[in-house]
Amino acid sequence: ELHRRLQPPRTWLTPRHAKVVARGRAGAAAAWVVVAHSSDCRTVEGGLELRLVVQNTGDGCLHVAAHPKQETIEVSWLCAADALTVPGRLRTAPCRVAERKVVARGHARLDSPPPASPYWHALLPLEWVALGVRVDCPDCVFEHDFLERAVEMRCRVTEFVEADGRATAGARRY
């Protein structure tokens, strides 16, 4: 019932009072984004940390990409278009993602990725992983300045579908 209403799993990252700023679902992958708030709601050193919680709501296996260097997570936001050609217009542009790291898996907090599979996290049904995504936003003073302009966040997820008792890799990619 909770997955149909797109309710996040109850964790230390998403307690009842947590403000979910984005949510989405593609196939078996359900995702929620919350802000890792600072005490005064200001951006820290020109950046903001978002927490992306991805849960497998299907019956197969789901792999979530979390490579610290590759573009496995993308964030886009609104910024001013060229003032000389079109004054006052906004356009969508990619944000610079400064850091991607695994914050938690299940209810365990992680300081570093597990050594067996550091960049792909296999999720069984109803398992979840939380990724910390640090986004550079030098012209934003407060967290809500960034959130008002944020447009989209994408995470690479691959669903493995069981076919005749065998897992088929790359069947669906979101």
Side-chain angles (χ1 to χ4, degrees):
E1 180 65 29
L2 290 177
H3 72 278
R4 276 194 285 260
R5 293 185 295 166
L6 271 177
Q7 294 295 316
R10 291 287 172 235
T11 70
W12 59 274
L13 288 166
T14 57
R16 285 199 189 280
H17 65 277
K19 300 294 183 220
V20 175
V21 296
R23 67 186 80 216
R25 185 169 180 181
W32 301 268
V33 179
V34 295
V35 176
H37 288 289
S38 62
S39 59
D40 58 357
C41 293
R42 290 181 177 265
T43 58
V44 178
E45 297 175 3
L48 176 70
E49 184 170 335
L50 303 171
R51 302 262 170 87
L52 173 65
V53 179
V54 180
Q55 184 179 32
N56 181 1
T57 57
D59 56 358
C61 187
L62 196 69
H63 283 207
V64 179
H67 197 286
K69 303 268 189 255
Q70 294 178 358
E71 299 297 322
T72 56
I73 298 174
E74 302 165 357
V75 180
S76 59
W77 66 338
L78 294 175
C79 63
D82 185 8
L84 298 175
T85 57
V86 188
R89 299 278 315 259
L90 296 175
R91 65 177 173 82
T92 303
C95 290
R96 184 179 169 291
V97 177
E99 182 182 14
R100 301 160 193 83
K101 63 183 177 184
V102 177
V103 177
R105 182 181 168 93
H107 291 281
R109 298 177 189 209
L110 300 176
D111 294 330
S112 61
S117 174
Y119 304 130
W120 283 95
H121 297 274
L123 302 178
L124 296 175
L126 299 180
E127 286 185 335
W128 59 269
V129 65
L131 308 171
V133 180
R134 180 160 170 74
V135 178
D136 285 342
C137 47
D139 59 340
C140 296
V141 176
F142 294 100
E143 295 168 353
H144 69 268
D145 294 337
F146 173 80
L147 295 174
E148 287 175 350
R149 295 168 48 190
V151 175
E152 179 179 52
M153 177 181 254
R154 290 179 178 255
C155 176
R156 192 176 341 157
V157 175
T158 304
E159 185 176 353
F160 286 71
V161 180
E162 296 276 336
D164 300 330
R166 294 175 292 165
T168 305
R172 295 185 196 138
R173 199 167 273 231
Y174 308 111

